[in-house]
Amino acid sequence: MVEELVTAGVALASVGAVYLVAAARVVKQYERGVVLRLGRLASEVRGPGFTMIVPGIDRMRKVNMQIVTMPVPAQEGITRDNVTVRVDAVVYFKVVDAADAVIRVEDYRFAVSQMAQTSLRSIIGKSELDDLLSNREKLNQGLELMMDSPAIGWGVTVDRVEIKDVSLPETMKRSMARQAEATRDRRARVINADAELQASKKLAEAAEAMSDQPAALQLRLLQTVVAVAAEKNSTLVLPFPVELLRFLERSGLQAQAQTAVSEAERAAERRSAGPARPGASEAAVEGGEGGAPTPELEDLPDAEELP
């Protein structure tokens, strides 16, 4: 009798252990458990932690509630301005209602992937090439709205959609490169023309200032010579200024006038001293030391009249 009781107890314990192993489930923190009892949805979605189901009657499906990153394969299409492009994107979505994600759609991941591809093709056909290249934020918002409307009925919400890359044909790339080069060349010419205009205005102002002070031109010439002479790899040809020639000529005439005045003064002193031979002294005064006539003071030009 005791052996039978022990055997029955061991059998019950074994059955209980088997039942416990079959009925026990562990739901992770980022998951939710959807229980189907005899094919019908249970009223309660199991939260994270330890839970029990009825083996053979209940069937629990775990749904991941994390944000899923899904790349969208590159889609080829024709833009509104008739340019063939290939565009790929990435979708960020998550499940907000585990029961709808299990009941309303067979495979919500596959459904979101197909919807993303069709939406991307649609947005390519509605956009122009410039929008795809420079106005991607607006296109991303349009894609998000197009995908979020049907996905909300599947218990899925689309957090964000990003266009990753836009591939263009080689001919279009070369055309765009030529266009960009021409635009930059035009800007460079406009900038150079503006610089020349400003430089001409400044040079005109400098020339007007130098015309009032001629010495400023000579100082500027000397500064240029110093700047060029610093580079010891060229031969410098310095023009001789005309003003300097005039200055030297004026100095020579003044020296000649001073010499003539000195000679006249010495001759006057000799006449006032009274020479021993009047005839000889008069001849010397009239003819000078070399026999040439002595220039008179009245005949010499004034210093102000010299050039």
Side-chain angles (χ1 to χ4, degrees):
M1 186 66 181
V2 176
E3 294 179 357
E4 293 178 355
L5 291 176
V6 172
T7 303
V10 171
L12 289 175
S14 300
V15 171
V18 172
Y19 177 82
L20 182 62
V21 171
R25 295 289 186 274
V26 176
V27 180
K28 298 179 181 179
Q29 181 65 37
Y30 54 85
E31 293 178 339
R32 297 295 183 270
V34 179
V35 179
L36 297 175
R37 180 166 297 170
L38 296 177
R40 299 186 64 179
L41 177 65
S43 60
E44 183 181 357
V45 176
R46 306 296 174 86
F50 180 80
T51 184
M52 298 287 291
I53 63 174
V54 179
I57 298 177
D58 292 346
R59 180 182 176 187
M60 188 174 71
R61 182 174 175 181
K62 298 178 182 179
V63 180
N64 192 336
M65 305 296 289
Q66 291 177 315
I67 295 177
V68 180
T69 303
M70 177 179 293
V72 181
Q75 302 297 312
E76 185 172 353
I78 300 176
T79 61
R80 193 166 60 179
D81 50 355
N82 299 325
V83 179
T84 303
V85 295
R86 288 177 61 87
V87 182
D88 57 350
V90 60
V91 182
Y92 302 91
F93 68 95
K94 66 178 179 179
V95 177
V96 293
D97 193 334
D100 290 343
V102 174
I103 300 301
R104 293 181 178 273
V105 63
E106 180 181 2
D107 187 353
Y108 67 90
R109 290 176 178 266
F110 181 75
V112 171
S113 176
Q114 294 300 313
M115 183 178 58
Q117 295 181 32
T118 55
S119 300
L120 186 58
R121 284 178 175 271
S122 177
I123 206 71
I124 290 173
K126 294 179 181 179
S127 305
E128 295 184 356
L129 180 61
D130 293 338
D131 295 334
L132 289 174
L133 296 176
S134 60
N135 197 11
R136 293 188 181 181
E137 189 65 29
K138 183 178 179 181
L139 298 180
N140 294 337
Q141 294 177 0
L143 276 173
E144 183 178 348
L145 291 176
M146 292 177 65
M147 295 179 60
D148 195 47
S149 299
I152 197 66
W154 305 336
V156 177
T157 179
V158 178
D159 283 350
R160 191 165 185 175
V161 183
E162 292 284 347
I163 295 177
K164 293 173 59 178
D165 188 24
V166 178
S167 300
L168 299 175
E170 292 297 329
T171 55
M172 180 59 64
K173 291 181 180 179
R174 289 194 293 269
S175 299
M176 294 177 66
R178 288 195 298 268
Q179 180 183 1
E181 184 178 359
T183 302
R184 292 176 180 175
D185 189 14
R186 178 179 62 84
R187 291 179 181 176
R189 292 184 179 182
V190 171
I191 292 174
N192 288 334
D194 190 14
E196 291 292 338
L197 177 60
Q198 295 180 7
S200 63
K201 292 181 179 180
K202 294 299 181 181
L203 288 175
E205 294 176 1
E208 184 179 358
M210 289 181 180
S211 62
D212 298 336
Q213 298 291 336
L217 183 61
Q218 301 301 324
L219 294 176
R220 181 57 185 164
L221 177 61
L222 294 177
Q223 291 178 357
T224 305
V225 170
V226 171
V228 175
E231 301 292 335
K232 300 179 181 180
N233 54 1
S234 59
T235 301
L236 179 62
V237 178
L238 179 63
F240 203 73
V242 178
E243 288 78 3
L244 184 58
L245 291 176
R246 291 177 180 175
F247 174 75
L248 295 177
E249 182 179 1
R250 190 182 301 110
S251 299
L253 293 176
Q254 291 178 357
Q256 291 178 3
Q258 292 178 358
T259 303
V261 171
S262 300
E263 292 293 337
E265 290 178 352
R266 285 196 297 270
E269 290 177 357
R270 285 195 295 268
R271 284 199 303 268
S272 62
R277 293 182 300 172
S281 63
E282 290 178 359
V285 170
E286 291 177 359
E289 295 179 356
T294 302
E296 299 294 337
L297 295 177
E298 290 79 3
D299 297 334
L300 295 177
D302 297 334
E304 290 79 1
E305 296 179 359
L306 294 177

